[in-house]
Amino acid sequence: MVSYAVGMAADRVDIDLSVVAPAHNEEPNAVPLVTELNAVLDMIPLRSEIVIVDDGSSDATLDVLCRLSRDVDRLRVVALPRTPSGLGHGQSAAILAGIRASRGDLIAGMDADLQNDPSDIPVLLEALQRTGADLVQGDRCAARRDGFIRRVSSLVGRLVRRALLRDTIRDTGCSLRIMRRTLALQLPLQYRGMHRFIPLTARQLGYRVVEIPVGHRPRVAGQTSYGIWNRAIPGLIDCFGVRWLHRRRRPIEFDEVTEPRTVDTPANAEPVETTP
């Protein structure tokens, strides 16, 4: 196993696009996910890689991915260490690990459960190039294939985010997106739940975000890790946390100077004596 220091990517090579997907107990989806992604990336004229992050899976997800990596050259497998037994560190931490391990100048994100359609990645790329945006966010609203309860909970969450955070992103929970590496490395994803606020955080940092419609597919294998209670209540708490962080964020731009700034001296000010 290769280990990367915190904040350090693998040795940088000329990769244009990295697709990062966190996975937790996605054994039945691993092979079709990699197969679909590999086929789509074969059609894109960019040097690309697939980075799948195993977040403490208790099934054979990691074993399946490792075997696949022997046959799929662009597949790289990352595993989060020291995860609680049967659990993971969470989607935010897994995404951040994938970003840090990736080598691409552009980073696409998606879920590993096959509900995101890999064929939408070229559409996101085209929108990024056409608009000059820093992040293109997928919007599943018109194609949502989730159950009634989950769709209602997403609607309520969207209304709460708009009221508390002035977040106008329609589908901030969609994991299908593409962003520039400079932006991705600034996202505070070491905090649990922050993956739900990636587009909002990007805007707060001064980056340009656009949304485009993408497809959405029903889950056909595996089991979702989220229900209404472990989404709604933590999501509300996270909204207050994000508002707290935003109000305390300070600009970090700087200018290098070689001469002291000129300070205007009032006309009636007494001259200051200096010792020779």
Side-chain angles (χ1 to χ4, degrees):
M1 179 177 291
V2 179
S3 177
Y4 301 111
V6 173
M8 299 292 291
D11 292 339
R12 289 300 302 272
V13 297
D14 290 331
I15 296 291
D16 301 307
L17 172 66
S18 298
V19 180
V20 174
H24 177 74
N25 290 346
E26 297 290 356
E27 178 185 352
N29 293 318
V31 172
L33 171 68
V34 173
T35 302
E36 284 192 48
L37 264 176
N38 202 42
V40 168
L41 294 177
D42 277 342
M43 297 185 294
I44 298 176
L46 295 175
R47 296 160 295 189
S48 59
E49 65 178 0
I50 301 168
V51 181
I52 300 185
V53 183
D54 182 75
D55 181 21
S57 294
S58 56
D59 62 6
T61 297
L62 186 58
D63 294 336
V64 172
L65 290 171
C66 287
R67 288 196 297 269
L68 281 171
S69 67
R70 299 167 192 161
D71 300 319
V72 181
D73 291 339
R74 61 164 56 97
L75 173 62
R76 298 173 55 225
V77 183
V78 176
L80 295 185
R82 299 183 299 279
T83 56
S85 179
L87 301 172
H89 287 314
Q91 194 169 347
S92 296
I95 292 172
L96 181 58
I99 289 171
R100 289 178 170 178
S102 70
R103 301 171 294 188
D105 294 320
L106 299 175
I107 298 174
M110 65 179 297
D111 287 330
D113 58 10
L114 290 177
Q115 290 196 260
N116 296 140
D117 190 344
S119 65
D120 280 321
I121 291 177
V123 181
L124 296 172
L125 271 171
E126 188 277 331
L128 189 81
Q129 295 166 352
R130 171 171 45 84
T131 64
D134 301 295
L135 186 153
V136 177
Q137 174 67 31
D139 177 5
R140 307 162 296 174
C141 291
R144 201 72 187 260
R145 293 295 180 267
D146 286 324
F148 175 76
I149 292 179
R150 187 158 182 177
R151 284 186 282 121
V152 170
S153 66
S154 294
L155 174 61
V156 173
R158 184 160 66 246
L159 294 175
V160 170
R161 284 194 303 273
R162 180 168 294 192
L164 292 178
L165 304 173
R166 299 180 182 177
D167 182 6
T168 59
I169 299 294
R170 278 170 53 86
D171 192 10
T172 192
C174 179
S175 297
L176 190 59
R177 59 177 66 93
I178 188 166
M179 55 189 147
R180 303 186 190 277
R181 184 177 191 84
T182 50
L183 160 59
L185 290 174
Q186 293 187 55
L187 297 172
L189 294 171
Q190 63 270 43
Y191 299 106
R192 181 181 288 272
M194 282 301 295
H195 65 279
R196 301 187 187 97
F197 303 94
I198 287 177
L200 173 66
T201 303
R203 282 182 171 172
Q204 291 176 343
L205 291 171
Y207 290 98
R208 186 183 178 202
V209 178
V210 299
E211 293 181 272
I212 64 169
V214 295
H216 193 236
R217 306 186 293 197
R219 178 185 271 273
V220 296
Q223 189 172 18
T224 181
S225 301
Y226 295 105
I228 186 169
W229 294 113
N230 66 352
R231 282 170 57 92
I233 303 303
L236 177 61
I237 295 172
D238 290 344
C239 281
F240 287 103
V242 170
R243 187 168 71 168
W244 186 89
L245 287 172
H246 176 57
R247 289 181 173 179
R248 284 154 180 79
R249 182 177 289 116
R250 295 296 179 264
I252 57 172
E253 295 86 0
F254 60 88
D255 299 315
E256 185 172 351
V257 296
T258 57
E259 297 292 337
R261 290 187 174 92
T262 302
V263 179
D264 293 333
T265 303
N268 59 351
E270 295 291 333
V272 177
E273 294 185 2
T274 59
T275 303

